[in-house]
Amino acid sequence: MWGLSKKIKYGFTARAALVNGLNSEFFRTYSWVGGGYQRHFESMNADNLATVLSLEWGNISKGTGIAFAQYAGDTTDNRYKVDKLKVPAEVRITTLMGNYKWKGLGIAAEYIEGSLENSDKVSAANATLGGLAKPKAFAPLGHKARLESVQLSYDWETPGLVFFLKAEHVNTFADVQGSIVKNPRYDVSRRSGGFMWMWDTAAFMKVQYARDKTELEGLPETYQANVAFGFDLSAFEK
């Protein structure tokens, strides 16, 4: 809705933005607050706005830099059935990321921590929703969620060919409130590896093999292989 970006001394760039807030009716166990992005209806509620602040040194998108970002905004008044929830449900998300490249070697890391105010009350309100917003068994929400990831990469001598290894961990029930119980099914670790090949400026193919493991006792590890094709439009940027 509104944004400002300004370069300051010593290679730093500061950014600030005011954006439409999330709708907590669409928060779910499996995606935490990710489903709250308002895209389900032609009109959007903007009674709750959110702020985004960030500070970047270097350039993350070009391979070498460090960035810190903070998102904060209430979600209660953006609900369509406002009578279901009468308490604040502010979402706060803090992100720290960085990457570094030396010759063909690269390392990238990211840490995200988020919190949902009155998560137990949001869960109770969502459990009785109907229609398109009906969450069924996916109403329980964690009060805090965390994600950590580290990726090592190597640019091969062949132009556009990059090999990578990645380790990730996400837990959407890092902390809970009220009667909500931590669900180890959503405490997941992933190890993956593969390669990406870019050709013709922006077209790419990505091949990845991954292993997922949760902390839920008795649930076996899962394995998957994926092949994807697409276009990276940022390749056309000057």
Side-chain angles (χ1 to χ4, degrees), residues 55 66-69 94-98 109-113 147 149:
L55 183 65
I66 300 174
F68 170 85
T94 301
T95 302
L96 180 63
M97 65 178 65
E110 184 175 20
Y111 176 79
I112 301 175
E113 179 171 314
L147 178 145
S149 72

Side-chain angles (χ1 to χ4, degrees), residues 25-41:
E25 284 175 322
F26 296 97
F27 294 173
R28 298 288 183 270
T29 301
Y30 50 82
S31 59
W32 197 52
V33 303
Y37 174 67
Q38 297 189 60
R39 62 187 184 279
H40 301 273
F41 298 92

Side-chain angles (χ1 to χ4, degrees), residues 12 14 33 54 57 61 77 89 105 130 132 147 162 176 182 189 191 205 213 219 224 234:
F12 285 94
V33 303
S54 70
W57 176 81
S61 64
D77 293 338
L105 296 174
L132 291 175
L147 178 145
V162 180
V176 293
K182 290 186 177 182
S189 296
R191 302 292 183 268
M205 177 181 69
K213 183 180 184 302
L219 189 66
Q224 57 180 296
S234 66

Side-chain angles (χ1 to χ4, degrees), residues 216-234:
L216 180 62
E217 186 176 352
L219 189 66
E221 297 180 359
T222 59
Y223 301 85
Q224 57 180 296
N226 300 297
V227 179
F229 296 88
F231 295 90
D232 182 7
L233 298 182
S234 66

Side-chain angles (χ1 to χ4, degrees), residues 106-156:
I107 181 171
E110 184 175 20
Y111 176 79
I112 301 175
E113 179 171 314
S115 65
L116 171 61
E117 185 181 14
N118 291 312
S119 57
D120 55 334
K121 295 179 174 59
V122 176
S123 301
N126 287 353
T128 58
L129 290 173
L132 291 175
K134 190 174 183 180
K136 297 183 179 180
F138 297 108
L141 298 164
H143 170 52
K144 289 187 177 181
R146 295 190 182 95
L147 178 145
E148 306 102 19
S149 72
V150 177
Q151 177 175 286
L152 299 176
S153 63
Y154 181 71
D155 292 353
W156 197 250

